[in-house]
Structures are given as structure tokens and as C-alpha cells.
Amino acid sequence: MASRCSVLEEELSCPVCCDIYKDPVVLECSHSFCKDCLEKSWQEKVYQECPVCRRISFAMHPPLNLALRNTCEAFLQQRSQGAAGKDQQAEELCNLHGEKLKLFCFDDKAPVCVICQTSETHENHQVRPAKEATRKNKEEIETMLKTLQRKLKVFTRVKETWEEIAEHIKNQQQNTERQIKEQFEKLHQFLKDEETARIAELREEEEHKSDTMKEKIEKMTQEISSLSGTIRAIERELGAEDVSFLQNYKDIKERSQVRVKDPEEVSGALINVAKHLGNLKYRVWEKMLDVVQYTPVVLDPNTAHPKFVMSEDMTSMRFSYETQQLPENPERFNRWVCVLGSEGFSSGEHSWDVHVGEADFWRLGVVKKSVKRKGDVPDTPAEGVWSVLLFHRNYEAVTSPPTLLTVVKKPQKIRVQLDWDKGQLSFSDLSHNTPLYTFKHRFTEKVFPLFISIDPTVPLQICSMKVFVSKS
């Protein structure tokens, strides 16, 4: 059988490439060749001749040998199927005993034949029929596959989140850069205005003092001219004859009397350079404090719930029914409609005022750094949240159970005071100067200011502080 296949394969092989014919064409001399082989052969020849018998062919495009092509295709398909059958048969037979692999050894994780089962190699091994083992192993693999699929979903979600974060980073950079430029433009404009004002003041002083000196110089010129005339007249009288001089002596003596006062010294005539340049930078900075605001707490937009809208200076916030497209980063709250302060405190005394106005709901306080931020957030001191709130006209300190607060007049401004070292967090109504509630707790980790509001009409505003300069 192998010999017949070998002879057939030889008959179906191209004389040029010695491989099975591909698109065979036939010449007038009845010899066949692969189409590409014949064309390449003719490219190297002066005449189109048969590569086997050297007979000249006059056919520019020899016809396809359809019968031979079909035979070659059938041979190649049969050979491929035969090889696959042999491989499959070789796989299904035991290499040691030549028997079919009808069993599976769970200890060795390999298929075995009935002879292998009784051999010393698989003694006391767990051996089951191949069909049963296939079902059990497939169930195991399917379970593992589901785990991989779940992990793939997790990885895909994380990748999508990271892509959102990457895009958000670009937007943050652009928006922040724009705001930085706007803030510096305001500072530049302030400095330009201050420069213009101070130069104008300098020029005004120069003009005033120049005019004063001009008046004094003109008056002095007149005095000099008058004295010069008197001196010339006296000099002429001194040159006259004796009798004439003596006759005019009385008048000459009278004219020679010095009645003009000596020029006064002009003090303060120069520009007060020290006034204009002395501590110039400091005085400009001191004046700048009137237009520069300082807010003790600034909001952190990376922690804000997507329904929380903040002002560009990050000191005001309000609730919005529209959900912003924000990345699901670990710092952000996704259930609590809240935002944290950008700076945490782990020591010292700190205070900030919040204008709550006529808002119907607000909640203020501090949370520990490790507070849960995803899903339902715990909200009692035992869980790391210390706060007071207004809800349905009730004022409460969020304890367990809640502590109702007595409030006579509705507060407009709430002061939050934290003494981390002493373990005190106090709330007071700054509008009426009355205390509301004080938490006492020994803090052990950094805490951050907390702000919550679900009133879309009234924003919460962190109040700025007046900055003073002291000299020492």
C-alpha cells in the first residue's frame, strides 16, 4: 500500500519542483508542469520549450490540465485525512501496551489502558472510566473557567476605570492650568495697577516740587537782575568827577543800602525716594491682603460624590440632580452625597466656619482617614464619623442613638472647632454665638472635614478669614 502511494505521488509530482502539481498546465508534447514552474522556466529561455523533451511550444498560454488538477487535489485530501487518522489512532492507543485508552488515572492525571490499571505503576490509584473522568474533569475546568471569566470581568472593569481616570487627569490638568492662569492674571493686574498708581504718585510729587523750584528760580533771577542794575549804576557814579560824586553822594549811599534778604535754604525740595522705595514689596504685599482671601479648609474634588457640584475655588458646594461623569477612583464616595476637605489633621487646633443659610438639610463634621467610601457608609463615632446635622427641621448630633439638639433660632453659620490633641470636636451657632454640641474622643488617626448637602437650591459655603500681618 505504501509502495502504491509512493508511485502515485511520483506520478503526480511536477518535473520541475518535484512537488505535487499546483494548477497544472499541459503542452503539445503531453508533458505537464505547474503553471508557475513553467512560467519561471520560460523566463530564463530564449525559446518556449518543454523542460523535459525540449520541444518548442507555440502556445503562449498552455491550457490547464483539469483532470490532473482534480486528481492532485483528491490525493492531497486523502493523504491529509490519512495522516490525521494515524495521529488520532496513535493518541488513542497506549504507548506501552497498544491498547485503547479507556480509563483515566486521577492520581497521575493521565489516561491509561486496562493493562496499565492492573500494573504496579497505578497500584492503589483512583482510576475511573474515561467518560466519567471526562465529565468530572470538564466540570472542574468549567468551574476554573468561570473563575477566570469573573477575573477577566474584574480586570476589564478596572481597565475601564483606569482609562476614565487617565482621561480625567487630562481634563483636570487643563482646567487647573486655566484657573491658575486666571488667578495669576488677577495678581498681575493688581501689581500693574499698583505700579501705575505708585508711578503716578512719584510723578505728581516730581511735578509739584519742580514747579516750586521753578517759581523760586524765577524770583531769584529777578532779584539778581535788580541787584546787577544797582551795582552797575553805583560803579558809574564811582567813576564820576569829585564834585559830581559829592553832589550825588547822598543818593548813591541810599541806593547802596542792602535791603534784600539773603536767599532762604530750600528744605524738602528733593524727591522723597525713601517714601517710594522703602519696604516697597512689603507695603504692596500688605495692601494685597485686602484683596486676597484665605480659607482654612479647601474641598477635595477627588473625594466628591458625582452629584456634588463645587465652585472653581473649591470653597462652595451644592447638590445636583444630574450625575457628573467622574472616575470611580478609591478616594471618591459613591453612595454618600458628600465631599471631604483636602487637608487632614493629626495634631493641633483647627477651626472653620460654614455658611449654611436657609438650607433644609446639611451635615458637618469630620471622618477618619480609613472610613469606608464605597456603598453604605457607617456614620457614627464608633465607626469613625463625628457630625451634627439638620434634617426635617430637627438638629441632631449623630450618635448612637441620635442626640437631639435644642436650637431656638435657625443658624446661618456653623463653626467647627477641632482640638485633635485634647480629643474634642465642638460645634457652635456662630450667628447667635451659642454652643450646639461637643464630641469627646481620643483620636488615633488623621481626620478630614466632612460636608454633606442634598439641597439643590442653597449651597454650603466655607467662610474665608481675614489675614493680619504682625511685625516683630
Side-chain angles (χ1 to χ4, degrees), residues 336-390:
W336 254 13
V337 185
C338 70
V339 63
L340 300 185
S342 62
E343 181 181 358
F345 309 116
S346 56
S347 64
E349 299 180 20
H350 310 275
S351 174
W352 56 97
D353 302 335
V354 183
H355 188 271
V356 295
E358 297 297 325
D360 293 328
F361 177 91
W362 51 260
R363 183 171 180 177
L364 305 172
V366 300
V367 299
K368 65 181 181 180
K369 181 179 180 180
S370 60
V371 72
K372 181 183 176 184
R373 306 193 183 196
K374 305 300 181 184
D376 294 330
V377 181
D379 58 358
T380 63
E383 297 155 324
V385 182
W386 300 267
S387 61
V388 296
L389 61 80
L390 165 62

Side-chain angles (χ1 to χ4, degrees), residues 1-13 20 75 79:
M1 181 68 179
S3 178
R4 286 200 301 271
C5 287
S6 177
V7 172
L8 179 59
E9 183 175 356
E10 184 176 352
E11 291 295 329
L12 297 177
S13 296
I20 302 300
F75 174 78
R79 187 173 66 176

Side-chain angles (χ1 to χ4, degrees), residues 85-241:
K86 289 180 180 179
D87 292 341
Q88 183 178 4
Q89 185 178 8
E91 290 178 359
E92 293 178 353
L93 297 179
C94 176
N95 294 331
L96 297 177
H97 308 107
E99 297 290 332
K100 289 187 176 182
L101 301 172
K102 296 182 178 181
L103 305 172
F104 182 81
C105 177
F106 283 92
D107 294 85
D108 293 332
K109 300 292 188 295
V112 295
C113 68
V114 291
I115 300 177
C116 292
Q117 178 188 13
T118 59
S119 66
E120 184 179 354
T121 305
H122 297 278
E123 187 176 359
N124 298 325
H125 284 192
Q126 186 180 5
V127 179
R128 293 290 183 273
K131 194 169 185 178
E132 179 184 339
T134 299
R135 178 180 54 78
K136 185 176 181 180
N137 288 342
K138 281 187 176 181
E139 290 176 356
E140 180 185 2
I141 296 300
E142 286 174 355
T143 302
M144 296 172 67
L145 178 61
K146 290 179 181 179
T147 301
L148 291 174
Q149 290 172 340
R150 285 195 297 269
K151 188 172 288 292
L152 176 61
K153 289 182 180 179
V154 171
F155 278 37
T156 302
R157 285 197 299 268
V158 171
K159 178 177 177 290
E160 291 174 353
T161 300
W162 287 356
E163 289 174 344
E164 292 176 359
I165 291 176
E167 183 64 26
H168 192 65
I169 289 172
K170 293 181 180 179
N171 294 334
Q172 282 184 313
Q173 181 270 328
Q174 294 173 355
N175 292 332
T176 305
E177 181 177 335
R178 174 183 57 80
Q179 294 180 52
I180 289 174
K181 289 181 177 180
E182 290 176 356
Q183 292 294 327
F184 271 94
E185 184 60 34
K186 292 179 181 179
L187 293 176
H188 293 160
Q189 188 60 49
F190 171 84
L191 293 175
K192 288 178 182 178
D193 293 343
E194 196 63 21
E195 176 189 6
T196 302
R198 292 181 181 276
I199 290 177
E201 183 179 355
L202 170 63
R203 290 177 177 174
E204 182 181 355
E205 181 181 356
E206 181 272 334
E207 183 178 357
H208 172 70
K209 291 189 174 181
S210 294
D211 290 344
T212 300
M213 292 307 301
K214 184 178 179 180
E215 292 176 0
K216 289 182 177 295
I217 291 171
E218 288 178 354
K219 185 176 180 181
M220 186 60 65
T221 301
Q222 294 174 0
E223 293 288 348
I224 292 172
S225 177
S226 177
L227 284 173
S228 298
T230 301
I231 291 171
R232 286 193 298 270
I234 293 172
E235 288 176 343
R236 284 196 301 270
E237 293 294 341
L238 288 174
E241 296 293 333

Side-chain angles (χ1 to χ4, degrees), residues 398-424:
V398 186
T399 56
S400 185
T403 303
L404 293 177
L405 305 179
T406 302
V407 177
V408 179
K409 294 183 179 180
K410 188 174 184 178
Q412 298 292 306
K413 189 180 294 185
I414 302 296
R415 171 164 289 178
V416 185
Q417 290 177 294
L418 170 68
D419 190 329
W420 195 94
D421 299 318
K422 291 184 179 180
Q424 290 186 353

